[in-house]
Amino acid sequence: MKNGNNAYLWVLVAVAIVAVIGTVLKHEPSVSVKWHRVAMDGSRTGVSPVVAGNVDACLGIVEGEMYKAPNGRIYEGGSIVKVAESLISVQPRMERLKTKVGFSAREMRKKAPECELSDMFADAMRAKASEVFGVPMDFALTNFGGIRCDLPGGDILLEDIESMFPFKNYLCWCTVRGEGLLRLFDQMAANEKTPFQVISGARVVLRDGKVVSSEIGGEPVDPSRLYNVATIDFLLSGGDKIAVGAVSEKVELSTVLLKDVMLDYVQSREVVDYETDGRVTVVE
């Protein structure tokens, strides 16, 4: 009976502990985690971002149970060697992604409702669609959510492009009357999470979640005119609460991925750089 009583006592203790923890957690404010970027400057081991054909110089080498870091420091055995070995062993499979494809004059960070990166990509997308479909595009529209990361300053690797556009979103051509575009503009302006989306060929002024004015090609949007619109398949039927297909009179798909649009743009320039032009303006 003594053992039985002890077991019963421990059960009661466990229940009490769980109850206390539950009460504490219930009244504990939610924890938020913020991430920030830290440059890989090699300050501890000399390790630097990997580029194709330069793994040893960037990450060091592993020989048996020894890891020699790029700064010459030697580690023998333990978790450091195992981590280094795992990291270095996968590099041959990732070498293609480490290929340099361009050079950026500076870092470009994604920021709504307009930034250098969004303007550059939207303009590149509109030009590419005009080339692919053989029709001059009046307007281009994509979503900020489809651009997953910033463009780094300095060397641009294929990995940067793949990370920026990891989804299989395809370039599309839609013909949309002005009245349909005006409805889309109103919907985007009313989105509290993102004041507007990524556009090219147009200028809009917003106030209090509403469109004050809008132009395409330097002229007020004509409700009765048909416009050639470059967009992506994700936005045809409700992606990011945008349904371009619902207001289109014609939709034509291509096999061109967004990441290829950006890759072609980057590779066609000696130096990548861009400036915003005020195409999306929010006024008080």
Side-chain angles (χ1 to χ4, degrees):
M1 282 298 293
K2 184 176 181 180
N3 290 336
N5 289 337
N6 285 341
Y8 180 68
L9 179 61
W10 281 112
V11 169
L12 290 179
V13 171
V15 170
I17 291 173
V18 170
V20 171
I21 292 174
T23 301
V24 171
L25 292 177
K26 183 178 180 180
H27 294 89
E28 186 73 18
S30 59
V31 178
S32 61
V33 178
K34 292 184 177 181
W35 296 91
H36 64 279
R37 178 176 297 178
V38 177
M40 185 181 283
D41 59 7
S43 58
R44 298 190 63 184
T45 61
V47 170
S48 59
V50 182
V51 294
N54 203 23
V55 174
D56 291 355
C58 295
L59 297 181
I61 58 175
V62 173
E63 295 178 346
E65 295 297 317
M66 181 194 75
Y67 166 55
K68 184 177 181 180
N71 65 357
R73 185 172 178 180
I74 295 177
Y75 301 83
E76 296 186 8
S79 60
I80 291 180
V81 176
K82 291 181 180 179
V83 170
E85 184 177 26
S86 297
L87 183 61
I88 292 172
S89 66
V90 300
Q91 296 308 311
R93 284 175 284 168
M94 299 178 66
E95 186 170 11
R96 182 185 71 88
L97 294 176
K98 304 300 181 180
T99 304
K100 178 182 174 180
V101 295
F103 184 87
S104 179
R106 56 197 169 85
E107 180 186 37
M108 297 186 197
R109 295 194 174 188
K110 182 179 73 170
K111 182 181 179 181
E114 182 189 4
C115 61
E116 292 89 350
L117 180 58
S118 64
D119 283 5
M120 179 177 70
F121 179 67
D123 289 349
M125 178 178 157
R126 183 160 64 104
K128 188 65 174 181
S130 299
E131 174 190 326
V132 170
F133 296 107
V135 175
M137 294 291 148
D138 301 299
F139 175 66
L141 168 66
T142 188
N143 59 319
F144 269 100
I147 304 175
R148 304 305 291 181
C149 65
D150 304 330
L151 183 73
D155 289 346
I156 303 172
L157 305 183
L158 180 58
E159 179 181 39
D160 296 317
I161 305 300
E162 296 273 2
S163 299
M164 194 176 300
F165 300 101
F167 308 116
K168 287 189 175 181
N169 290 329
Y170 293 92
L171 196 61
C172 304
W173 165 32
C174 301
T175 54
V176 185
R177 291 204 182 274
E179 61 180 358
L181 286 179
L182 291 173
R183 289 206 300 272
L184 287 177
F185 289 174
D186 287 337
Q187 291 170 9
M188 288 190 288
N191 188 331
E192 295 181 358
K193 184 177 179 181
T194 304
F196 217 70
Q197 295 292 352
V198 181
I199 63 172
S200 172
R203 299 179 71 89
V204 296
V205 177
L206 313 173
R207 180 190 288 121
D208 297 329
K210 296 182 179 180
V211 178
V212 176
S213 65
S214 58
E215 298 177 352
I216 290 182
E219 299 290 336
V221 179
D222 181 348
S224 63
R225 177 185 163 185
L226 271 177
Y227 291 92
N228 292 315
V229 178
T231 188
I232 59 175
D233 56 339
F234 176 69
L235 300 184
L236 291 179
S237 56
D240 265 354
K241 299 181 180 180
I242 300 172
V244 183
V247 296
S248 298
E249 298 192 9
K250 173 185 175 182
V251 176
E252 188 172 332
L253 305 179
S254 78
T255 57
V256 178
L257 291 167
L258 284 197
K259 64 180 180 181
D260 294 327
V261 173
M262 186 58 124
L263 180 60
D264 289 349
Y265 181 86
V266 167
Q267 290 182 318
S268 69
R269 280 153 177 78
E270 185 175 343
V271 177
V272 175
D273 201 2
Y274 228 73
E275 297 289 342
T276 56
D277 56 16
R279 64 186 67 179
V280 180
T281 303
V282 180
V283 297
E284 298 297 332

